[in-house]
Structure formats: structure tokens, C-alpha cells
């Protein structure tokens, strides 16, 4: 049985859980109490992931960390959502790098500061993150205005990657998707239609935490 170490607030965990369900792979979830410091525990790091992060996926003797690496492995394992040919596989990989460096990176940081940080977010930092979000979301909006999915006409692991944090409540990020980003909103509707999609808080383990700021 595949085991996924995860918690409810993590869009990176949701990316992997959604992909596992869409690929029809049975798995069990291992709750990691990230919000109370579980991943900072030296014993946890020694036993599970020295990087101090989730998701962590165990598949037999194989243990993988980082959502991009996990998604790539699952696509190889199942032959699903990896891209129809080498060109599409490379296109999916290109967008996953963009996601990790810019799209999810800035959005997840803004969301964490607003909803879960111990102190109110610094307005200067928030303004900078929003400016970076405008740039990266414009790139994705333009892409999806001419394509049903990120890497082409069919969904790939690139879609799971970029969408991971976008199914959480708007109140957590303070970043409304409609009407500013209609192509992204339509894309999210297409992803919700994939067999296996479930809202993050209905899928992942852990309590729902109200936004703090």
C-alpha cells in the first residue's frame, strides 16, 4: 500500500493526493502535525525526511519527497498524466519548474502569511508578493486562454502541480480568481471534473484552521 505523509493545509500534499486518486492508485494517509511543529522535530526528520517537509510518499522500499518528483514518479509508474509523447512530457516538466519557482511559490507564501503565520503580514512583503503573483498568474492565464490544460489538450501532472493550492477557500489567500483570471477559473472547473477530485479539506487529514489575519 502506498503511504502519503500529509496534512490538510498543504496544497503540495493535495497535488499528490489528487493525482493518486485520478490515477486510481489505492493509498493511505499518514497525518503529519505540521502546524504544531512535527516536521521541525529532529527525530521526525531523521526518520521521515531530512528536508523537514511534506508530502512524503512511500511506495514499498521507495521513499520520495518533493511534490514534483513524486508526481513524475507516479506518472512513470502508471503511464497516466505524464504526457502523450516526449515533447508533451518536457512541456509538463517545464511548467512544473515554473510552478515551483514562481506560481505556487508566491501564492503559497502569501496564503501562509495571511492565514497561518503567528504575526500579521508585513504590508511591504505582501505588496511585493502580489506584484510577483500578477506577473506569474498573467503567464498562466494567457496560456490557458488558448489551451484547455497546461501542457496541451489533455491534463498532465503539470495541471495537478499548478492547481494544488487553488482549490482552498479564497479567504485564506485574499486573492480572488474571478473575474480577474477567467481562464484559470475555467481550467479549475475542468480539473474538478476529473474522476478522483475532492476538495482538499474533504480529503486530507487534520483540522480546518480559520484564517488568522
Amino acid at each position: 500500500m502506498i503511504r502519503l505523509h500529509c496534512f490538510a493545509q498543504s496544497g503540495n500534499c493535495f497535488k499528490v493526493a489528487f493525482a493518486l486518486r485520478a490515477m486510481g492508485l489505492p493509498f493511505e494517509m499518514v497525518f503529519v502535525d505540521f502546524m504544531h511543529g512535527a516536521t521541525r522535530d529532529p527525530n521526525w526528520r531523521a526518520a521521515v525526511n531530512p528536508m523537514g517537509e511534506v508530502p512524503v510518499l512511500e511506495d514499498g522500499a521507495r521513499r520520495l519527497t518533493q511534490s514534483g518528483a513524486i508526481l513524475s514518479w507516479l506518472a512513470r509508474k502508471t503511464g497516466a498524466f505524464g504526457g502523450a509523447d516526449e515533447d508533451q512530457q518536457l512541456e509538463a516538466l517545464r511548467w512544473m519548474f515554473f510552478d515551483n519557482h514562481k506560481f505556487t511559490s508566491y501564492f503559497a507564501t502569501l496564503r501562509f502569511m495571511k492565514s497561518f503565520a503567528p504575526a500579521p503580514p508585513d504590508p511591504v512583503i505582501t505588496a511585493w508578493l502580489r506584484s510577483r503573483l500578477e506577473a506569474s498568474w498573467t503567464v498562466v492565464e494567457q496560456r490557458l486562454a488558448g489551451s484547455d490544460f497546461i501542457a496541451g489538450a489533455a491534463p498532465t501532472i503539470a495541471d495537478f502541480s499548478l492547481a494544488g493550492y487553488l482549490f482552498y477557500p479564497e479567504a485564506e489567500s485574499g486573492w480572488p480568481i474571478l473575474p480577474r483570471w477567467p481562464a484559470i477559473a475555467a481550467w479549475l472547473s475542468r480539473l474538478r471534473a476529473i474522476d478522483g477530485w475532492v476538495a482538499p479539506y474533504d480529503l486530507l487529514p487534520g483540522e480546518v484552521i480559520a484564517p488568522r489575519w
Side-chain angles (χ1 to χ4, degrees):
M1 175 67 73
I2 293 173
R3 304 174 81 227
L4 177 65
H5 298 252
C6 57
F7 70 101
Q9 284 74 27
S10 172
N12 288 321
C13 291
F14 178 72
K15 299 172 185 186
V16 175
F18 180 19
L20 284 163
R21 288 174 58 85
M23 293 171 181
L25 291 173
F27 67 103
E28 63 180 11
M29 290 179 280
V30 179
F31 174 59
V32 177
D33 196 358
F34 176 90
M35 293 300 182
H36 292 96
T39 61
R40 296 193 296 274
D41 183 338
N43 293 324
W44 187 92
R45 292 191 175 203
V48 183
N49 182 9
M51 291 180 178
E53 298 175 334
V54 289
V56 177
L57 183 134
E58 295 178 88
D59 186 1
R62 187 182 298 274
R63 176 176 291 174
L64 293 170
T65 71
Q66 296 295 321
S67 60
I70 296 170
L71 290 171
S72 296
W73 162 248
L74 292 175
R76 287 173 55 193
K77 177 184 177 73
T78 62
F81 298 104
D85 54 30
E86 186 177 32
D87 286 342
Q88 195 177 49
Q89 291 165 11
L90 290 171
E91 183 70 356
L93 184 63
R94 182 172 78 102
W95 282 101
M96 289 170 67
F97 283 135
F98 178 83
D99 175 50
N100 280 247
H101 179 53
K102 293 184 176 179
F103 191 76
T104 280
S105 176
Y106 300 131
F107 184 78
T109 301
L110 180 72
R111 172 179 171 260
F112 183 86
M113 290 172 59
K114 183 181 185 303
S115 286
F116 311 120
D122 184 324
V124 174
I125 296 175
T126 299
W128 183 83
L129 285 170
R130 288 179 174 273
S131 71
R132 301 301 291 169
L133 280 170
E134 283 286 339
S136 60
W137 279 55
T138 296
V139 171
V140 176
E141 176 74 10
Q142 291 172 346
R143 171 63 175 173
L144 291 169
S147 178
D148 282 349
F149 297 99
I150 290 294
T156 66
I157 52 175
D159 297 281
F160 296 128
S161 185
L162 273 85
Y165 278 87
L166 307 192
F167 295 112
Y168 287 91
E170 181 183 305
E172 292 185 354
S173 64
W175 185 261
I177 296 178
L178 279 175
R180 180 71 176 82
W181 314 103
I184 292 176
W187 166 66
L188 293 177
S189 294
R190 290 190 287 274
L191 293 179
R192 288 187 185 95
I194 293 175
D195 188 25
W197 184 87
V198 178
Y201 287 133
D202 293 332
L203 175 59
L204 298 173
E207 63 178 335
V208 178
I209 302 170
R212 299 190 65 176
W213 313 109

